[in-house]
Amino acid sequence: MKVLVCGGAGYIGSHIVRELTKLNKYEIVVLDNLSTGHTIAVPEGIPVEVGDIRDKQFLEDVFSKHKPTAVFHFSASIEVAQSCVDPLGYYENNVAGTIYLLQAMQKHGAKYFIFSSTAALFGQPERIPIHPDDLSIPVNPYGDTKLAVETMLKWCDQAFGLKYACLRYFNACGADASGDIGEDHTPESHLIPLILQVPLGKREKIFIFGDDYDTEDGSCVRDYVHVTDLATAHILALDYLARENTSNRFNLGSGKGYSVKEIIEAARRVTGHPIPAEIKPRRAGDPATLVASSEKAETVLGWKRQYHSVDDIVRTAWNFHQKHPKGF
Ligand code: UFG
């Protein structure tokens, strides 16, 4: 099957490409505008079409040339704080860009769409763990752009039979076991890579944004899920669409929450560095606790996670950062 991976040079996309190549049954094409992705993260021999999903002519050229059957879609802006400053830029890239992509799919008869969605669409959740059908009221533009696409997909299925899977990640983290690819954002805003900048000598300490939350140790609790496990879920989702010919949506997490302080402790154990930390005020828009119920992904897709301990997850990230102290 021919698959197009939009955003395949980025953090999560490149891990999907890597897992897809291992299976030897997909013909893979990567599309990426390289605004945040890295061509070096794409295995040799995989064609990379460099361009933007907001460019309709570019999409027309890519779809005419490659005629993919399935599309994995990771091309999006992902910074919650930035989305509050530039909501229109976020809607333009994440919603308008996806409209053009879906139009190209419709025109060229691509059948399956695997959508990179987010826990951010649940806003302040009504219960923990969060189930896929729980109420979704995003509290920032980023989450809202992802919800808008999820809603659009429902109508695309109804109108022209597009089969889609929405995969809501909780906190994607870690790196491929090889240490060849991993998380490299500029600027970095995610907790684990920021913590690891301390033992790498790039920052003096880590800031803990708030220790007065209603959680066990007062810091925010999140559900950290390894990027290679996320990659496996995407491939299972494509299998599911091809087998069942029905659309669906899934939450992807570990079912267990860890506080910011616990993650810092894990990084101290893994790196052997004291990693000084300082309490700072709360970051705007952070819910106290976000933990997924991944039960549906496990029962319906047969998803089994390979990484269960945060130490193991942090160890893979540390391996990548030690191999690439300056990033890619
Ligand atoms: N945090 C700190 N110090 C830092 C950075 C983060 O204390 O220097 C805290 C945050 O306040 C939060 C936790 O660490 O409580 C995790 O923060 P991240 O920025 O790593 O991740 P988020 O949970 O904010 O966001 C992630 C993704 C989003 C996605 C969201 C869904 O980055 O794209 O999960 O829950 F929308």
Side-chain angles (χ1 to χ4, degrees):
M1 187 191 293
K2 192 140 191 184
V3 301
L4 178 68
V5 184
C6 300
Y11 170 45
I12 302 178
S14 63
H15 284 80
I16 270 75
V17 171
R18 194 157 273 241
E19 295 308 305
L20 284 168
T21 53
K22 288 182 188 165
L23 295 175
N24 263 333
K25 62 175 188 177
Y26 299 103
E27 203 180 328
I28 308 161
V29 178
V30 164
L31 179 162
D32 206 296
N33 69 3
L34 300 180
S35 61
T36 56
H38 311 270
T39 31
I40 198 170
V42 180
E44 251 175 66
I46 306 274
V48 181
E49 297 287 357
V50 179
D52 198 294
I53 55 166
R54 288 162 289 191
D55 179 345
K56 284 183 164 190
Q57 188 55 51
F58 167 68
L59 286 178
E60 175 59 28
D61 294 345
V62 169
F63 275 78
S64 307
K65 183 171 159 193
H66 296 291
K67 304 205 178 319
T69 303
V71 174
F72 292 88
H73 180 28
F74 304 96
S75 302
S77 308
I78 60 158
E79 295 292 331
V80 171
Q82 185 57 25
S83 78
C84 299
V85 177
D86 179 23
L88 296 177
Y90 267 65
Y91 284 97
E92 184 185 31
N93 193 27
N94 295 4
V95 181
T98 306
I99 292 174
Y100 301 151
L101 185 58
L102 292 169
Q103 284 172 333
M105 288 185 69
Q106 180 182 15
K107 179 170 174 200
H108 291 273
K111 285 161 107 171
Y112 309 122
F113 189 68
I114 292 94
F115 179 55
S116 167
S117 191
T118 175
L121 57 78
F122 293 106
Q124 302 283 352
E126 53 181 356
R127 63 167 168 173
I128 299 291
I130 308 169
H131 290 254
D133 294 330
D134 285 357
L135 193 65
S136 36
I137 307 178
V139 292
N140 53 60
Y142 167 68
D144 203 43
T145 61
K146 294 286 182 175
L147 180 60
V149 171
E150 288 206 6
T151 307
M152 229 159 50
L153 288 171
K154 190 175 70 181
W155 304 118
C156 291
D157 185 349
Q158 195 167 303
F160 58 93
L162 179 81
K163 297 302 166 205
Y164 64 87
C166 296
L167 303 180
R168 290 83 164 257
Y169 321 143
F170 281 59
N171 289 64
C173 54
D176 186 72
S178 65
D180 293 342
I181 52 173
E183 196 168 6
D184 178 15
H185 298 117
T186 311
E188 190 52 76
S189 70
H190 294 94
L191 181 64
I192 293 177
L194 281 174
I195 294 173
L196 295 177
Q197 285 182 1
V198 181
L200 285 171
K202 289 180 168 178
R203 56 189 300 137
E204 256 177 52
K205 54 185 155 187
I206 184 75
F207 296 133
I208 299 173
F209 297 141
D211 72 342
D212 56 352
Y213 284 96
D214 184 17
T215 60
E216 207 141 295
D217 65 21
S219 63
C220 283
V221 169
R222 294 287 179 274
D223 186 339
Y224 294 87
V225 54
H226 196 277
V227 65
T228 303
D229 286 331
L230 289 180
T232 312
H234 285 74
I235 296 168
L236 290 170
L238 175 55
D239 289 347
Y240 169 85
L241 295 181
R243 187 178 67 240
E244 306 287 337
N245 203 38
T246 181
S247 299
N248 217 329
R249 49 196 194 167
F250 303 93
N251 289 352
L252 300 178
S254 70
K256 184 163 166 34
Y258 289 91
S259 71
V260 173
K261 288 180 182 173
E262 286 175 315
I263 297 294
I264 297 171
E265 276 305 327
R268 287 176 179 143
R269 284 191 295 274
V270 167
T271 63
H273 189 284
I275 311 183
E278 185 183 323
I279 309 296
K280 286 280 185 187
R282 292 181 176 198
R283 198 174 64 175
D286 269 343
T289 302
L290 286 175
V291 177
S293 165
S294 305
E295 211 182 310
K296 183 174 169 189
E298 287 160 11
T299 53
V300 176
L301 298 179
W303 186 46
K304 286 192 187 71
R305 285 174 302 109
Q306 183 188 336
Y307 290 91
H308 295 275
S309 103
V310 275
D311 286 34
D312 287 347
I313 290 178
V314 172
R315 198 168 288 116
T316 62
W318 181 229
N319 183 31
F320 168 74
H321 288 291
Q322 279 184 304
K323 280 192 165 181
H324 304 83
K326 296 194 174 108
F328 280 110

